[in-house]
Amino acid sequence: MFYTGLTEWTPGNVILRIVASLVLGALVGIDRGAKKRGGGGRTDAAVCTGATLVMLTAQYIDIVFPGKADITRLAAQVVSGVGFLGAGSIIVSGHQVKGLTSAAGIWICACIGLATGVGFVDGAVVLTVILLGGLHVIPMIEEKVYHHTRYIRLYVEAEESRAAAMLLHQMRQDGCKIDMYDMEQPGAAGLSCTIVVTIHIPKRFSREAYLESLRKMEGIVFVDTM
């Protein structure tokens, strides 16, 4: 059972909660910043301590004005309102979306701050440790799984739309399952059209050999994985 002594309203507990939220938020942010991702130590620490102050304020109101306020309402506003910070860290570039993990990290920091602010410091510490461990372990698992998957996402440049249609026909003829297909026509003459396609390659083909065969098709300028 987790320790409940920190839920008591004492000057020492209040200071400890604020310091703990600052440290925990900074740890998550520094981990993201070290990977050159969005967020960073200062942003996540500010979100975490801000959420802690909200819960401290809610507890203070409940103590000074018992029965006059619902302590959970302020927490709910933080969980929903912090989304604007997360949205600011999401970048859509072409057909790729970046910053989702950073946005989730900012939201989690707010949750850590709420838990710390209400006195559930040990639970917040456990979550932070598990989160930081997961952010380092999960990418290694993903890399191993994605290396063996038969699904690949391709970025293709073709000289003209006819070559793109031939590419699509060839992949279907080879038994590939096309999960997603998007083509952008050039805005001016002489420019190549771009294709983003997600396909499932049959087991009889190796990924590298199949990609090489697509690169050799007539009218195909460039093929690479995303």
Side-chain angles (χ1 to χ4, degrees):
M1 184 175 179
F2 287 121
Y3 180 62
T4 58
L6 291 175
T7 59
E8 298 176 3
W9 187 265
T10 64
N13 279 351
V14 170
I15 294 172
L16 181 59
R17 294 184 208 177
I18 295 173
V19 172
S21 68
L22 177 71
V23 173
L24 296 176
L27 285 175
V28 176
I30 290 171
D31 179 73
R32 300 304 301 160
K35 299 174 183 176
K36 307 302 179 185
R37 308 290 183 175
R42 289 175 295 177
T43 300
D44 285 355
V47 170
C48 199
T49 51
T52 295
L53 180 60
V54 168
M55 287 308 292
L56 287 171
T57 303
Q59 188 177 7
Y60 178 81
I61 293 173
D62 188 58
I63 293 171
V64 177
F65 307 102
K68 299 292 185 180
D70 183 1
I71 194 172
T72 61
R73 291 184 66 183
L74 285 174
Q77 294 300 316
V78 171
V79 171
S80 59
V82 77
F84 80 95
L85 277 175
S89 66
I90 298 174
I91 300 173
V92 180
S93 176
H95 297 278
Q96 289 186 312
V97 179
K98 299 179 180 179
L100 289 175
T101 304
S102 297
I106 292 173
W107 183 82
I108 290 171
C109 280
C111 296
I112 292 172
L114 293 174
T116 306
V118 81
F120 191 32
V121 178
D122 39 5
V125 171
V126 170
L127 185 143
T128 303
V129 171
I130 294 175
L131 172 65
L132 292 176
L135 289 175
H136 287 272
V137 173
I138 292 174
M140 293 188 291
I141 298 174
E142 285 181 329
E143 185 178 358
K144 291 183 180 296
V145 173
Y146 295 164
H147 181 72
H148 295 93
T149 183
R150 305 303 300 176
Y151 281 95
I152 58 173
R153 195 178 191 191
L154 301 177
Y155 174 81
V156 183
E157 292 184 5
E159 292 180 353
E160 54 183 359
S161 58
R162 182 173 175 274
M166 290 176 60
L167 175 73
L168 183 64
H169 175 73
Q170 184 62 48
M171 288 189 294
R172 284 175 173 165
Q173 197 172 42
D174 292 336
C176 296
K177 295 179 181 178
I178 299 174
D179 187 61
M180 186 275 293
Y181 183 85
D182 183 37
M183 183 175 69
E184 291 186 2
Q185 296 283 1
L191 298 178
S192 58
C193 62
T194 60
I195 307 136
V196 176
V197 58
T198 302
I199 61 173
H200 180 275
I201 301 177
K203 293 183 178 179
R204 67 177 183 273
F205 296 115
S206 71
R207 290 179 49 170
E208 292 74 15
Y210 191 69
L211 287 177
E212 191 60 33
S213 68
L214 295 179
R215 293 187 182 105
K216 294 179 179 178
M217 288 184 61
E218 183 180 356
I220 301 301
V221 179
F222 179 80
V223 178
D224 202 1
T225 59
M226 295 180 65

